[in-house]
Amino acid sequence: VRSFLMDATATTNARFGRFVAETGYVTEAEKFGNSFVFFKFLDQQAQDAPDYGPAPWWRVVDSATWRAPAGPGSEAMCIDDHPVVHVTWNDANAFAQWAGGRLPTEPEWEHAARGGLGDVRFPWGNLEPDDVENFPCNIWQGKFPQTNLCKDGFATTAPAQSFAPNGYGLYNMVGNVWEWTGEPFKIKSLRKDVAVRLAGMKGYKLSKGGSFLCHRSYCYRYRIAARSGNSPDSATTHMGFRIVWDDAVT
């Protein structure tokens, strides 16, 4: 991994707002007219609406955007120092270009997340988060998706600069929001069933870090090595990004 610089936090609403104000950029969720919202953020009628089959805790909500993360009337959820959400991979790249940077590679992201500790599971070491006493990041506590005990202090996103930073001074490298990388999502497997499933994910982009919706019982992806993929035009209430710069250029 060559020398590079990385934002200490995920891109915040305030910073993304400056980008929009200066460029007039319109996110893809705004263009599409809807985005995916976690059902617990909605009123009862919306919670009872048809779900997204493979992941029944998601609802497609009209006019859900980075400015109104749960749809119309939820503008108060767009807090300046929280990570921007409902941004696609394409949106993140547009911001990175404006900022003079780029999205990180997977090796860069993992190297940064380890904070100089070597081959550890989490940015703080190997001590597991739990539902009882260890809350080093913003993830789910309780029974997903029905009951979030919020013992880490947050039901949704936390401020981008919260919890203890890792050894490189980087905040929330796991938990809080998924972070887009600049790479395609690929898995090498000899299993035919996996190959068939991956064929439907052609063109997907890689994301890292997990989010406030992760829990070991179903989504153990707040580990540094964990990974996920989404189509480049996907947007949700738990997807964000941070950018890097080539050290020689900066």
Side-chain angles (χ1 to χ4, degrees):
V1 176
R2 293 184 178 182
S3 179
F4 65 97
L5 302 175
M6 175 178 269
D7 265 339
T9 73
T11 302
T12 63
N13 286 306
R15 194 170 175 205
F16 195 80
R18 290 195 295 271
F19 159 62
V20 169
E22 289 186 19
T23 65
Y25 185 82
V26 178
T27 63
E28 291 194 292
E30 291 170 297
K31 293 176 182 177
F32 298 153
N34 57 52
S35 189
F36 285 97
V37 175
F38 183 62
F39 79 117
K40 285 293 186 179
F41 299 157
L42 305 172
D43 62 27
Q44 192 61 52
Q45 182 177 359
Q47 287 188 31
D48 293 338
D51 59 51
Y52 176 66
W57 41 86
W58 291 113
R59 302 288 185 273
V60 177
V61 175
D62 289 343
S63 299
T65 69
W66 72 275
R67 301 177 192 271
S74 66
E75 289 78 6
M77 293 177 66
C78 180
I79 303 170
D80 279 354
D81 65 348
H82 284 228
V84 65
V85 293
H86 289 296
V87 284
T88 67
W89 186 84
N90 297 317
D91 297 332
N93 273 282
F95 177 94
Q97 184 176 6
W98 170 79
R102 57 179 173 81
L103 296 178
T105 65
E106 185 172 23
E108 286 173 336
W109 190 96
E110 290 197 1
H111 176 78
R114 290 190 171 94
L117 293 180
D119 189 16
V120 291
R121 185 168 293 182
F122 310 107
W124 55 85
N126 289 313
L127 183 63
E128 292 274 355
D130 57 36
D131 289 358
V132 181
E133 59 183 3
N134 186 36
F135 313 114
C137 61
N138 180 19
I139 55 176
W140 190 278
Q141 292 91 45
K143 184 176 177 60
F144 185 87
Q146 295 298 330
T147 304
N148 187 356
L149 301 175
C150 300
K151 289 190 174 183
D152 58 24
F154 300 96
T156 178
T157 57
Q161 186 171 322
S162 56
F163 298 90
N166 72 1
Y168 292 152
L170 306 175
Y171 292 84
N172 290 304
M173 289 297 292
V174 299
N176 218 19
V177 293
W178 280 99
E179 297 184 4
W180 290 111
T181 75
E183 295 195 11
F185 178 68
K186 295 180 179 179
I187 295 178
K188 295 180 180 179
S189 176
L190 298 178
R191 288 174 47 183
K192 290 184 178 180
D193 61 324
V194 174
V196 169
R197 182 167 60 87
L198 292 177
M201 301 174 73
K202 186 177 181 180
Y204 274 35
K205 302 300 181 181
L206 176 69
S207 54
K208 300 283 289 183
S211 80
F212 63 87
L213 295 178
C214 282
H215 188 270
R216 188 169 184 174
S217 64
Y218 89 101
C219 177
Y220 192 34
R221 290 182 182 171
Y222 47 89
R223 296 170 292 112
I224 292 172
R227 56 214 305 275
S228 187
N230 263 302
S231 59
D233 59 356
S234 290
T236 68
T237 46
H238 69 159
M239 195 68 122
F241 67 95
R242 78 178 73 204
I243 61 175
V244 299
W245 295 264
D246 296 319
D247 197 8
V249 173
T250 306

